[in-house]
Amino acid sequence: MARHLLVVYHTQSGTTSRMADAVIRGARSTAVDGVDVRVKSALEADADDLLWADGFILGSPENFGYMSGAMKYFLDRVFYACEDRVNGRPFALFVRAGNDGSGAISSMRRILQGLAVKEVQEPVLIAGVFDESRLGECEELGLTFAAGLEAGIF
Ligand SMILES: Cc1cc2nc3c(=O)[nH]c(=O)nc-3n(C[C@H](O)[C@H](O)[C@H](O)COP(=O)(O)O)c2cc1C
């Protein structure tokens, strides 16, 4: 049976969505054929999406030293519905920031710790001037995550 990978992200001016596109491209690579990839914006994703997922990848810009409001709104809406129902599931993060990004990463990690999910790859953070060449790392994140899910490594 196919394993389920959920990608949830938010973007305002479009750069996080470029990272998301690369993550999704990697996750849907023909090298991995046993994983269904579902993509949702943080404003539309809900608890059913998270419960469906065997693993998930979240992407957010850093706004005011924190994850974006939309990503926080997603986590607010799913937290109690998913508490104790997703324990141990793997996740990874990608973040876009004007100059920092650490606040977005730590704020997402902190809430996800409360869901007892397990971070299985280092986040991809693109801070400062948007460096296209780093999109390869996003693609690799998606590919590695999907391959790990398929192989049952996580
Ligand atoms: C309201 C607002 C607050 C921001 N706060 C931060 C911040 O605290 N740290 C940072 O590194 N970048 C900050 N930025 C820059 C964004 O992270 C950056 O513009 C990013 O590219 C936005 O992602 P997007 O193109 O996907 O919307 C902020 C941008 C906005 C619009």
Side-chain angles (χ1 to χ4, degrees):
M1 202 175 75
R3 306 211 68 207
H4 296 164
L5 167 55
L6 176 69
V7 179
V8 177
Y9 70 97
H10 176 71
T11 189
Q12 186 163 285
S13 56
T15 52
T16 313
S17 69
R18 300 198 55 206
M19 295 176 74
D21 288 345
V23 168
I24 295 157
R25 193 163 55 245
R28 289 186 168 147
S29 153
T30 52
V32 183
D33 61 7
V35 176
D36 274 354
V37 182
R38 182 183 291 183
V39 181
K40 290 275 177 93
S41 80
L43 291 173
E44 67 175 2
D46 61 20
D48 287 340
D49 294 312
L50 198 59
L51 292 170
W52 169 87
D54 295 302
F56 60 95
I57 303 177
L58 303 185
S60 176
E62 176 164 284
N63 287 347
F64 303 129
Y66 202 78
M67 73 185 92
S68 71
M71 183 57 69
K72 172 67 161 43
Y73 179 57
F74 167 66
L75 292 171
D76 284 352
R77 285 181 293 114
V78 302
F79 191 87
Y80 286 115
C82 294
E83 196 179 21
D84 290 330
R85 299 177 70 189
V86 293
N87 293 12
R89 292 190 198 174
F91 78 90
L93 303 174
F94 61 94
V95 165
R96 167 69 183 140
N99 55 24
D100 186 354
S102 59
I105 291 171
S106 62
S107 58
M108 285 192 281
R109 277 179 172 161
R110 186 165 178 196
I111 292 174
L112 292 168
Q113 216 169 26
L115 281 180
V117 288
K118 174 179 69 173
E119 189 168 17
V120 294
Q121 285 171 253
E122 276 303 301
V124 177
L125 166 63
I126 303 183
V129 175
F130 192 75
D131 178 358
E132 308 257 342
S133 70
R134 302 225 23 230
L135 290 174
E137 291 169 49
C138 298
E139 191 165 339
E140 196 179 313
L141 177 81
L143 173 60
T144 313
F145 196 99
L149 260 190
E150 183 184 44
I153 289 169
F154 302 140

